[in-house]
Amino acid sequence: MPKTFWFSMEKVWNFCIFFQVRPLYAGFDNMRLSLNESVLLWPMPAHVTRGKSILALASGFAFGQADGQHISATLTQAFSRYIDIIYEQHSLFQVVSSGLDIPVLEKLLVSLDSSTEELEFEVDESYTLKVPDPSNPNIASLQAATVYGALHGLETFSQLVDYDYSSRSLQIARTPWIIEDYPRFPYRGLLIDTSRHYQPVESIKRVIDSMSFAKLNVLHWHIVDEEAFPIEIPSYPGLWNGAYSYKERYNIEDASEIVEYARARGIHVMPELDVPGHAASWGLGYPQLWPSPQCNEPLDVSKEFTFDVIDGILKDFKKIFPFKFAHLGGDEVDTSCWKNSPVIESWLTSHNLTAQDAYASFVIRAQEIAMKHGFEPVNWEETFNIFPSQLSKQTVVHNWYQSGTCPRAVKAGLRCIMSDQGTWYLDHLDVPWDKFYLTEPHLDITDAAEQELVIGGEVCMWGETVDASDILQTIWPRAAAAAERLWSPLSMTEQGISEETLRRLQTFRCLLNRRGIPAAPVLSFWGTYVFGRVAPSEPGSCFSQ
């Protein structure tokens, strides 16, 4: 070690003694001793019981479906993935169980109530995991209503398995486990933005993988914005002239591949078409969409061609994205371009409309087009704040700008998604994970019927400062804090953050890193909650950072 390092550590230690501060690394031995004492699962299941025994996985351990059940293609793929995950740290030939003086688990059998593999919104995601099954000490059982509940059960099972270095075996401590689990909210989302920076398909897939580990189930794909239009639209092929470059594009096969990759992991993909603002890139392919060459957004409200293009995009989207919701944006609309364009100003006058009226009319017409193609519209909260009575009753209001929006939206009978920018925007690097964890979607909503209209929440990874090089460590581990708030029972999360909560999150962060998902530290050397996307400040264990 360089002398400068030892000198700095000496100063650190003297500071700790003087101010009676205990660095985290000093307590690492205690943490190692406590790892097997806690339920180190993330997100925390609804109901957990456990024992005091140990099981080792047999060298030929396998997943399977109960006898006589339809073989699910989705489960078959998942079995292969989770065998790889369980054996990830060490070579398969090293994992042995012969000669161990502990019981052996030979297989996990999955039983499904339904054979359908269609991923619908509000699909039953519940599961019951028993390790081992009470009827057979060598078999674990996983019962689920649907294949998508079973996927969550497999993830939970994988988090129970640990590697024992002394015996070179995979083991599950504290058996028997009985876990009954289900999500609190049906919508548990993460937004990614491929307009501010292009994300390669493989980068998006890694984001989807990481979402499945935290039981998030909606990828909100903010595909296009004023900076770039990277996706192919067969009905209007000139639109992706707005991509940053010829190589930074998604063809329809790419998009379909992403959607299927997500479905196989129980994740919906919701496309966003942000109109009428945030759309300057559209005019690089079709300049007639701009109000004028000098003023390129919002889209020209006076031309029927504008709505023909929106219709074509949503028609093509419906062939790719089966999710019931499509996000239509509607935020941050500055109508000065319309008022400064003689042609549009004349159109407004002839239709007896103000620019504000035209903004509302544009949003409502886009909603009608979306609903014609079978989508239910999601809009950013400005549309509700400015013209609430004109919105379709099918509208889902997406809160982002100010607190109190969801309480007002659900009181008006509309559904709401919570994404408060103050605590759930991942690009706000100065917001540590505890703020994400303590944010409650039902804040100031006490009526049970109104609470039901809050379908969930979403953390937002806006793309101004992320590309494939840093997106994952900006998302994680802070998104995991929101994921537990959205999955686990309120009775558990409302208790706040305990030492066990911190330990579980540190363990999950290390799990992500072992699975190839670079997740930033949770804690600083001094024991404070760090900001987003920081690097480790000192040498130390993953479990103490």
Side-chain angles (χ1 to χ4, degrees), residues 518-533:
V522 175
L523 286 179
S524 72
F525 176 76
W526 301 108
T528 57
Y529 300 149
V530 298
F531 293 155
R533 202 168 67 199

Side-chain angles (χ1 to χ4, degrees), residues 433-455:
W433 73 270
D434 61 310
K435 304 297 184 185
F436 284 77
Y437 193 89
L438 296 173
T439 297
E440 171 50 45
H442 282 167
L443 181 66
D444 296 330
I445 304 172
T446 57
D447 180 82
E450 292 178 0
Q451 288 179 345
E452 287 293 315
L453 292 174
V454 180
I455 62 174

Side-chain angles (χ1 to χ4, degrees), residues 116-221:
T116 181
E117 301 195 11
E118 184 177 357
L119 180 59
E120 296 180 335
F121 184 61
E122 297 185 306
V123 67
D124 191 330
E125 298 176 88
S126 64
Y127 66 91
T128 299
L129 176 64
K130 297 179 181 180
V131 185
D133 188 89
S135 66
N136 189 327
N138 303 118
I139 293 177
S141 65
L142 173 57
Q143 190 280 328
T146 70
V147 65
Y148 301 106
L151 295 180
H152 296 314
L154 290 174
E155 173 57 36
T156 298
F157 177 82
S158 75
Q159 292 187 24
L160 293 175
V161 179
D162 203 4
Y163 186 79
D164 179 73
Y165 284 87
S166 299
S167 62
R168 285 181 165 77
S169 65
L170 291 168
Q171 298 184 2
I172 300 176
R174 304 301 301 268
T175 61
W177 289 87
I178 299 177
I179 297 174
E180 297 177 352
D181 201 12
Y182 44 84
R184 180 182 172 202
F185 291 100
Y187 186 110
R188 308 178 302 280
L190 167 67
L191 176 149
I192 62 168
D193 171 8
T194 58
S195 174
R196 276 53 180 257
H197 279 96
Y198 177 81
Q199 293 288 343
V201 171
E202 289 305 311
S203 176
I204 296 174
K205 287 181 176 180
R206 293 306 286 152
V207 170
I208 292 169
D209 286 336
S210 66
M211 291 174 65
S212 71
F213 303 151
K215 298 184 172 70
L216 293 173
N217 73 334
V218 179
L219 178 68
H220 175 178
W221 189 2

Side-chain angles (χ1 to χ4, degrees), residues 467-483:
D467 60 12
S469 71
D470 63 353
I471 186 171
L472 289 169
Q473 57 263 50
T474 311
I475 293 172
W476 306 104
R478 293 179 301 157

